[in-house]
Amino acid sequence: MKYDLIALDLDGTTLNDKNTISPAVKEAVAWAREQGVRVVLSTGRIASEAAEFAKQLEIQDDLVTAGGATLFSMAQNAYTMRLSMPWEPAVRAAAIVERVGMVSMVYAGEDMLITPYDEMYFSRYKTNEGYHTSKKVVPSVAEYIANSRVSIDKMFCRSNDKAMLQYAREQISQLPGIRVMSSGEDNIEVISPMADKGQALAKLCEQYDIPLERCIAIGDSENDLEMLQAVGMPVAMGNANDAVKSIARYITATNAEDGVAKAIYHLLEKA
């Protein structure tokens, strides 16, 4: 089978444990593009952060961002699709997150809403330009959404307390018009039920006139499932969870072992 497009998750997949792209992965992506294969980043991150990594990989194709809630055009430097959550459930979900004491990043178009408490936490390891240019620090995200009536594309909420995560997930899941998932054991993500990476990738493939059967998708976590189910060649990272591995047609090495590069060479049959 000849493949025309590769969709890459970022965290736990294209990025290694140092939150960077290794030279081996950069080289493999460049080689794939030389073969005429489109490479698309498909991530839960906000567009400004995803675009920064796309530039490192010299990718010009559109980006699937915010877990499939948004599509971003690198060429136009603008969103081409936004599937925001209903306003009232977004306010209530943000209030639950603040009440239980989780840290969060809330995506509202080009703005990433965080509280001073959130900023103290995330600034310890988020040094990339996309984070700093998009962050907007407000006293209370829930109050800001309520008063400004901004449209929310996604909430990323983190805690190392599993009981807290489970409680917040149960509470937020009861709200209408939203969907709760995860991209790792220490987080939950809240988006519109109409948004997922699979549908967003399908929309891109329609624009590019590429059948999904001729696509490779590589991921590691729950928010990658629909994307992997949509394509002809679903690939799980070696560090992926069991649900992802169970639907994969190929399992590569971990993100610490340049699994993306190894998958690209194996599936595109580099000599």
Side-chain angles (χ1 to χ4, degrees):
M1 167 69 78
K2 179 181 182 297
Y3 297 105
D4 298 319
L5 184 146
I6 304 172
L8 299 175
D9 172 51
L10 275 177
D11 294 277
T13 302
T14 305
L15 302 182
N16 57 29
D17 294 338
K18 296 180 180 178
N19 207 36
T20 60
I21 305 172
S22 73
V25 170
K26 289 181 181 178
E27 183 179 325
V29 168
W31 177 80
R33 293 176 63 245
E34 288 171 2
Q35 313 312 304
V37 178
R38 289 185 182 271
V39 180
V40 170
L41 294 184
S42 180
T43 176
R45 295 199 184 211
I46 197 168
S48 57
E49 286 193 292
E52 188 175 343
F53 291 114
K55 289 174 184 176
Q56 291 180 30
L57 293 167
E58 298 183 358
I59 292 173
Q60 296 300 318
D61 292 310
D62 289 6
L63 308 173
V64 176
T65 53
T70 54
L71 291 176
F72 185 81
S73 167
M74 292 289 289
Q76 301 174 40
N77 192 34
Y79 289 99
T80 58
M81 181 191 80
R82 285 185 68 191
L83 297 173
S84 302
M85 292 180 275
W87 170 76
E88 184 176 347
V91 174
R92 295 173 64 186
I96 290 171
V97 170
E98 291 183 6
R99 186 169 67 247
V100 300
M102 299 173 68
V103 293
S104 68
M105 294 182 290
V106 178
Y107 303 166
E110 297 179 359
D111 291 330
M112 180 191 297
L113 306 176
I114 57 176
T115 67
Y117 175 66
D118 300 327
E119 183 182 32
M120 283 182 7
Y121 175 85
F122 288 115
S123 293
R124 290 184 299 175
Y125 71 93
K126 276 189 170 287
T127 58
N128 54 299
E129 182 182 352
Y131 167 76
H132 290 288
T133 57
S134 61
K135 71 177 182 180
K136 183 172 186 175
V137 184
V138 297
S140 165
V141 172
E143 289 185 9
Y144 181 86
I145 299 171
N147 295 332
S148 303
R149 299 189 76 89
V150 293
S151 296
I152 301 302
D153 305 322
K154 176 188 166 182
M155 297 180 184
F156 174 85
C157 316
R158 172 172 284 165
S159 174
N160 290 319
D161 185 330
K162 291 187 178 181
M164 180 184 291
L165 275 176
Q166 184 61 31
Y167 175 79
R169 183 165 190 157
E170 290 173 356
Q171 294 295 307
I172 296 172
S173 295
Q174 296 177 29
L175 301 175
I178 59 176
R179 176 185 177 207
V180 185
M181 63 173 64
S182 172
S183 60
E185 293 182 354
D186 65 348
N187 69 67
I188 58 172
E189 300 183 346
V190 186
I191 59 175
S192 163
M194 298 183 63
D196 68 58
K197 289 183 178 183
Q199 293 189 56
L201 181 60
K203 185 176 178 65
L204 272 190
C205 286
E206 185 177 349
Q207 294 175 12
Y208 295 147
D209 195 26
I210 295 175
L212 284 165
E213 298 78 37
R214 296 172 72 95
C215 296
I216 299 167
I218 310 179
D220 72 305
S221 60
E222 181 184 355
N223 73 347
D224 296 316
L225 288 171
E226 288 89 355
M227 174 177 75
L228 295 174
Q229 290 168 335
V231 301
M233 177 53 69
V235 177
M237 298 296 293
N239 51 286
N241 64 35
D242 290 342
V244 170
K245 288 181 177 178
S246 72
I247 64 169
R249 289 182 56 195
Y250 179 72
I251 299 176
T252 187
T254 70
N255 65 322
E257 300 168 319
D258 299 323
V260 164
K262 292 174 181 177
I264 288 174
Y265 291 138
H266 175 78
L267 295 170
L268 299 185
E269 298 180 349
K270 181 180 181 181

